[in-house]
Amino acid sequence: MSNLNVELLRSFLAVVESSSFTAAAHTLGVRQSTVSGHIARLEQALGRSLLMRDTHRVAPTLDGQAMIGFARDVLEAHDRLRAFFSPSGLRGSIRLGVSEDYTLSTLAQVLARFADRHPSVDLQLTVGLSRVLYQGYDAGELDVIFCKRRRGDPRGELAWAEDLIWAARPGFVPDPGQPLPLVLYPPPSMTRTLAIDALDAAGRPWRIACTSGSLMGLRAAVEAGLGIAPHSARVMPPGLRPIPEAAGLPAIGEVEFVLLGPGRHHVVAAALQETILASTAELQGVPGG
């Protein structure tokens, strides 16, 4: 099978969607003979008949029906690639929501590169708790969110998964004879739920020493020695340290960081998602990433 020109696929889809060579030619802004020639070349290249023609209508054959999905995937990828690397760059706006965990990481550098590559894109950044980002996304107020996966929500493309650890100020040693003082986000928080579930399963007494709706608030409380907090090890804020395993605290569990977006049809959103996903090693602080 010879290489396929994407314009042949574009003509094929136009005919299928309009059920007419004439309408397809009008949609594509070419002559009907051009569309007919494209279909003939495509069928010859594949060695298959893709369309059934009669005096009243045009319909895909079984092979043609199978070809529809392939053609759409190829054209979407082709159009996104051209838009991404176009000399004029992408145009439009994108509303990105990011978990507070990653405002302290190299995500800023990744977004700066995206902005440099696409200066005509208006990037609106919202920083907040994952649960708030999900609410904004579901309400149509955010186009893309990068955050912790919500329990029971299968949506989103996995960026990576990592274990949570117990974070405290340097030198903090939990007293095994006292309830463990916790510094947590308010419910419903994914890290809060995982931490409490782990302690309950281990039979370790605990108490809520401080609650804050912001990462900076949690960090300040932990640095002040009010208690300990579950946290992503890879983005440990300055001034905090992991509690050694010798302290005997139970493992908290794993958290997944995901990207949710509107799909490939939104070219600007797709380009932003691809940029972030291509930078996962850098975001995790992997050497050489």
Side-chain angles (χ1 to χ4, degrees):
M1 183 179 69
S2 59
N3 292 331
L4 302 179
N5 187 312
V6 293
E7 296 310 316
L8 307 186
L9 302 179
R10 206 178 299 279
S11 290
F12 168 73
L13 285 180
V15 172
V16 169
E17 291 168 358
S18 64
S19 300
S20 165
F21 280 78
T22 302
H26 179 74
T27 298
L28 297 172
V30 298
R31 293 179 296 176
Q32 182 176 332
S33 59
T34 299
V35 174
S36 298
H38 285 174
I39 300 302
R41 288 167 56 192
L42 181 60
E43 291 181 326
Q44 182 179 10
L46 295 173
R48 306 289 181 90
S49 175
L50 301 177
L51 298 172
M52 296 182 293
R53 311 162 178 83
D54 58 33
T55 56
H56 302 291
R57 61 189 295 269
V58 178
T61 63
L62 290 177
D63 286 327
Q65 292 175 359
M67 187 63 181
I68 292 173
F70 291 119
R72 284 176 176 160
D73 287 345
V74 169
L75 286 176
E76 283 182 354
H78 174 267
D79 292 344
R80 286 189 293 117
L81 185 150
R82 289 192 61 183
F84 191 92
F85 292 103
S86 169
S88 61
L90 297 174
R91 295 182 181 275
S93 63
I94 189 73
R95 300 167 298 177
L96 172 65
V98 179
S99 170
E100 274 197 312
D101 303 71
Y102 278 88
T103 57
L104 300 177
S105 77
T106 52
L107 179 62
Q109 300 172 26
V110 175
L111 296 181
R113 287 201 302 270
F114 178 84
D116 288 342
R117 178 174 289 177
H118 307 293
S120 297
V121 172
D122 179 16
L123 179 61
Q124 302 173 35
L125 181 63
T126 297
V127 178
L129 302 181
S130 293
R131 60 182 174 85
V132 177
L133 299 180
Y134 270 97
Q135 292 169 359
Y137 181 79
D138 290 336
E141 298 167 355
L142 295 171
D143 301 308
V144 177
I145 59 175
F146 178 37
C147 58
K148 302 183 188 77
R149 187 188 295 279
R150 184 166 55 184
R151 270 191 172 184
D153 195 329
R155 296 177 299 169
E157 189 165 0
L158 178 66
W160 68 82
E162 63 182 69
D163 290 329
L164 293 173
I165 54 92
W166 296 105
R169 71 176 182 179
F172 182 92
V173 179
D175 184 345
Q178 297 294 325
L180 193 66
L182 301 179
V183 178
L184 300 173
Y185 287 122
S189 159
M190 280 154 268
T191 54
R192 177 191 179 105
T193 300
L194 287 170
I196 291 176
D197 286 351
L199 292 171
D200 287 344
R204 181 71 161 85
W206 55 271
R207 65 181 178 87
I208 303 296
C210 180
T211 299
S212 175
S214 75
L215 180 61
M216 295 304 295
L218 293 182
R219 174 182 168 185
V222 175
E223 281 187 318
L226 298 183
I228 66 173
H231 205 282
S232 302
R234 293 188 185 276
V235 287
M236 181 67 62
L240 303 187
R241 298 290 185 273
I243 294 181
E245 294 184 7
L249 298 184
I252 305 173
E254 187 180 71
V255 65
E256 293 182 335
F257 287 89
V258 296
L259 269 169
L260 277 75
R264 294 180 178 180
H265 63 280
H266 194 307
V267 177
V268 177
L272 177 60
Q273 289 177 258
E274 289 171 356
T275 298
I276 294 175
L277 289 171
S279 306
T280 53
E282 179 182 354
L283 290 169
Q284 294 177 82
V286 176

